[in-house]
Amino acid sequence: MKELVCIVCPRGCRLTVDEEQGYKVTGNSCPRGAEYGRTELQNPTRTLTTTVCVAGGLHRRLPVRTNRAIPKALLPAAMAEAARVRLQAPVAAGQIIIPNLLGTGADLIASRAMPAAGA
Amino acid sequence: MAETYQLIVIGGGPAGLAAACKAWEQGLRRVLVLERDCELGGILNQCIHNGFGLHRFGEELTGPEYAGRYIAMLAETGVEVRLDTMVLQLVPGRDGHPHEVHAVNGKQGYQVLQAQAVVLAMGCRERTRGAISIPGERPSGIFTAGAAQRFLNIEGYMVGRRVVILGSGDIGLIMARRMTLEGAKVLACVELMPYSGGLTRNIVQCLQDYNIPLYLSHTVTDIRGHDRVEQVVVSRVGPDRQPIPGTEMVFDCDTLLLSVGLIPENELSRGAGVEIDPRTRGPVVAENRETSIPGIFACGNVLHVHDLVDFVSAESERAGAAAAQYVQAQDAAPGAPAPAAAIPVQAGEGVSYTVPQHLHPAALAAGAELFFRVRRVTKTANILVEDANGARVAKFARTHLAPGEMENITLPAALLARATPPLTVRIEEVQA
Ligand SMILES: Cc1cc2nc3c(=O)[nH]c(=O)nc-3n(C[C@H](O)[C@H](O)[C@H](O)COP(=O)(O)OP(=O)(O)OC[C@H]3O[C@@H](n4cnc5c(N)ncnc54)[C@H](O)[C@@H]3O)c2cc1C
Ligand code: SF4
């Protein structure tokens, strides 16, 4: 039995996961918590949010995120990939910045539109 | 002649956006949003992490995405927006006369605008080192966590390489992870209280995920360094929250981030004579978020500090709808609105404040939703609502209560009908 806090949403339910009972989860208020409890003990994943460099835009950094969670162990490698990105404004919200990031099947996408400066 | 509006919303963060959208939806057609920044969205633009919108949109969004949804909704309406416009003063109109909003921007200069109703949505600002007076030298390298967040996420500057964070509020926790991912070493997160001020999920995914130690019941007792921070001294504190000599730990670092709380930004409200609750540092409001001045409403972080933007949006829609109702009632019957009777809601044992602070009897037919914070971390406990005679109006069982997490309860109209005002909300601990 392992106790953990669900981090899927800000509610932070306290979960109990029973490894001997096929990773049965209790304490969750919704199905997403059960899924979190199961994967967290077997193959923990996280959504990465960071920023990338953008030239000619309203701001110098564009916020981005993975469109689904990637293995936690890959976060540093994913940061290194994001650090290599050089974009030119304008960028559309949801635009794919790096497809299939590190072969995970997740895309790195823009989490806002970045209009060109003065536009 | 002054430009006149039915409604002016001060601040274009999530609170202002939701209030303006709702007022439009309810039929107001001359609505103006004034925002001092160069874009709408408020603090959400720098909160690039995810965790927003699960209640409101049923999916997990980043701050900019959440703001983007509301900005798009506003663009569908005919609500006017003035960016780069700073509101300097609010002069309330008495006896049903319009309120005056004084603002300034580079294009139109100084402007005096008139509005039948005003929604205050100015958000809050961070408590600074000055406000909590840490001893030590005054080198560079000391930032509030939110300022560091803006530098890093919007302007693209890394503020330091070896970091100590004072305060375990959500912004500090989020910044611990963000700085770590960007290659900095976060040495410690130091919290004065015996519990964290942030959401539990942030302790897990921002500190524990990266093996960053959290020192509860500790504080910063010295800052060393001439031009730049070189060392920070951390000491344990006793139950009286005073540092215990001999418990000092020295951290070699170049940066100290402060995440020691937020203060609602109410200079405009105070200047207008709006009654302020010393506990929330925001206006005293009724369930429709109307302040002590008729026709002036408040919502979002300017009213009380929220942890979840979803609740900010819900509260602000309520304020926007109430503002629309106020304008429509005034149009139907001009002149001074009749003073409304109020049922006080009091914070009892274990509760630090409630919002709203009172209820209009007319609204009770719809039931009432109360928001509040508890004073202590408690496991099994009951939230009790009692009336003037000590009779129980309602009881809500909880398995976990913490000051860092805003609570809310809904009182059905049927229960309220039987209660004798005032109402008191208190916490009853249950022995396990
Ligand atoms: C760092 C941080 C992390 C957070 N993380 C989360 C999270 O993970 N999940 C979640 O749900 N919530 C989170 N929140 C909470 C949420 O972002 C806030 O509750 C919400 O943004 C408050 O909205 P607001 O509109 O009241 O204030 P703000 O967003 O602060 O907007 C206020 C606006 O008013 C403008 N303004 C102020 N004074 C004037 C003036 N005199 N004239 C003109 N304009 C003015 C400001 O420029 C600003 O744009 C976080 C908050 C912070 C600060
Ligand atoms: S179990 Fe569901 S409600 Fe509870 S924290 Fe997880 S996602 Fe949120």
Side-chain angles (χ1 to χ4, degrees):
Chain A
M1 295 275 252
K2 210 162 172 302
E3 290 190 8
L4 50 149
V5 174
C6 178
I7 61 169
V8 176
C9 90
R11 194 156 158 184
C13 295
R14 275 133 232 274
L15 312 178
T16 309
V17 187
D18 194 341
E19 298 100 317
E20 268 123 59
Q21 299 272 329
Y23 295 92
K24 188 172 175 297
V25 179
T26 47
N28 54 307
S29 307
C30 81
R32 298 163 52 122
E35 200 196 315
Y36 171 78
R38 279 192 298 273
T39 53
E40 185 65 11
L41 290 196
Q42 301 174 76
N43 169 31
T45 60
R46 296 287 183 268
T47 297
L48 176 68
T49 60
T50 182
T51 64
V52 296
C53 184
V54 58
L58 180 64
H59 304 302
R60 298 171 32 169
R61 303 297 297 188
L62 172 78
V64 295
R65 69 170 170 101
T66 55
N67 59 359
R68 53 178 145 117
I70 62 172
K72 196 168 141 184
L74 287 180
L75 291 177
M79 285 297 290
E81 288 295 306
R84 277 197 277 279
V85 171
R86 295 286 178 278
L87 294 173
Q88 185 69 40
V91 179
Q95 189 174 318
I96 296 177
I97 307 300
I98 304 178
N100 191 16
L101 181 67
L102 299 169
T104 55
D107 299 329
L108 192 70
I109 62 170
S111 65
R112 63 166 285 172
M114 187 56 68
Chain B
M1 214 191 81
E3 292 173 89
T4 57
Y5 290 88
Q6 289 170 308
L7 171 63
I8 292 181
V9 177
I10 307 177
L17 289 169
C21 283
K22 191 69 182 183
W24 178 271
E25 187 194 300
Q26 298 289 308
L28 297 196
R29 285 300 173 263
R30 283 177 293 115
V31 180
L32 173 67
V33 177
L34 299 174
E35 168 56 53
R36 67 181 171 197
D37 206 344
C38 64
E39 59 180 339
L40 295 170
I43 200 79
L44 289 181
N45 288 324
Q46 69 184 60
C47 299
I48 63 156
H49 57 282
N50 55 346
F52 302 83
L54 212 72
H55 293 271
R56 180 64 181 78
F57 293 112
E59 54 182 308
E60 208 185 6
L61 304 171
T62 64
E65 286 170 322
Y66 189 98
R69 297 260 171 123
Y70 270 93
I71 294 170
M73 271 154 61
L74 192 80
E76 302 273 299
T77 70
V79 170
E80 231 183 284
V81 176
R82 280 186 209 169
L83 298 174
D84 295 308
T85 304
M86 173 87 180
V87 176
L88 301 174
Q89 199 191 357
L90 170 61
V91 183
R94 302 284 172 185
D95 306 325
H97 289 291
H99 306 297
E100 257 179 32
V101 176
H102 296 235
V104 67
N105 66 24
K107 269 197 219 121
Q108 289 136 313
Y110 195 95
Q111 317 151 47
V112 180
L113 309 166
Q114 289 193 336
Q116 286 173 277
V118 172
V119 170
L120 305 171
M122 291 91 74
C124 52
R125 64 160 177 268
E126 288 176 286
R127 217 174 277 238
T128 59
R129 183 185 178 193
I132 57 156
S133 55
I134 307 169
E137 298 189 67
R138 262 71 184 144
S140 71
I142 305 170
F143 303 88
T144 60
Q149 187 181 47
R150 190 179 168 92
F151 278 130
L152 187 55
N153 291 345
I154 294 187
E155 291 165 28
Y157 297 102
M158 187 73 173
V159 298
R161 290 278 151 206
R162 290 177 65 83
V163 185
V164 169
I165 298 176
L166 174 60
S168 61
D170 286 316
I171 318 175
L173 299 176
I174 295 285
M175 281 306 288
R177 172 177 63 181
R178 184 81 187 103
M179 299 281 294
T180 305
L181 281 172
E182 288 290 350
K185 176 83 188 149
V186 179
L187 302 164
C189 179
V190 179
E191 169 62 54
L192 179 68
M193 304 301 285
Y195 52 82
S196 159
L199 297 172
T200 314
R201 75 189 296 245
N202 285 337
I203 303 278
V204 174
Q205 62 180 354
C206 298
L207 297 184
Q208 292 172 8
D209 264 10
Y210 300 94
N211 301 316
I212 299 167
L214 170 62
Y215 295 98
L216 297 173
S217 297
H218 279 74
T219 193
V220 169
T221 43
D222 196 12
I223 298 169
R224 298 174 186 160
H226 286 288
D227 302 324
R228 178 81 193 191
V229 174
E230 288 165 17
Q231 289 183 327
V232 163
V233 180
V234 171
S235 305
R236 198 142 50 94
V237 298
D240 58 353
R241 292 189 220 157
Q242 292 305 310
I244 302 171
T247 62
E248 293 83 4
M249 292 182 283
V250 179
F251 292 96
D252 290 318
C253 60
D254 55 25
T255 303
L256 176 66
L257 295 188
L258 306 175
S259 177
V260 290
L262 300 167
I263 304 177
E265 187 144 353
N266 275 296
E267 282 71 20
L268 288 175
S269 328
R270 277 199 196 84
V274 167
E275 186 189 341
I276 301 289
D277 183 334
R279 301 163 304 176
T280 55
R281 301 193 188 218
V284 171
V285 291
E287 75 293 329
N288 62 355
R289 303 304 187 262
E290 189 167 25
T291 68
S292 60
I293 301 181
I296 299 183
F297 301 80
C299 53
N301 276 353
V302 80
L303 181 57
H304 57 141
V305 177
H306 293 69
D307 340 292
L308 294 184
V309 70
D310 305 69
F311 291 126
V312 170
S313 298
E315 171 172 281
S316 305
E317 284 173 3
R318 198 171 292 192
Q325 216 173 42
Y326 173 88
V327 169
Q328 285 152 355
Q330 259 218 333
D331 288 347
I343 298 172
V345 181
Q346 295 168 345
E349 166 62 23
V351 174
S352 49
Y353 72 82
T354 68
V355 167
Q357 289 87 347
H358 56 254
L359 305 168
H360 290 144
L364 295 187
E369 200 177 359
L370 300 181
F371 294 83
F372 58 90
R373 283 184 194 271
V374 298
R375 289 191 189 278
R376 276 185 305 281
V377 178
T378 336
K379 286 228 177 292
T380 313
N382 293 321
I383 300 168
L384 299 180
V385 182
E386 293 164 343
D387 76 358
N389 308 323
R392 181 174 297 175
V393 178
K395 173 176 137 178
F396 303 84
R398 290 285 191 274
T399 52
H400 168 78
L401 291 169
E405 298 174 20
M406 196 169 75
E407 278 299 322
N408 71 316
I409 55 176
T410 303
L411 301 175
L415 295 179
L416 287 171
R418 280 187 260 129
T420 318
L423 301 175
T424 303
V425 184
R426 71 178 179 92
I427 304 301
E428 175 191 64
E429 284 185 42
V430 179
Q431 299 303 331

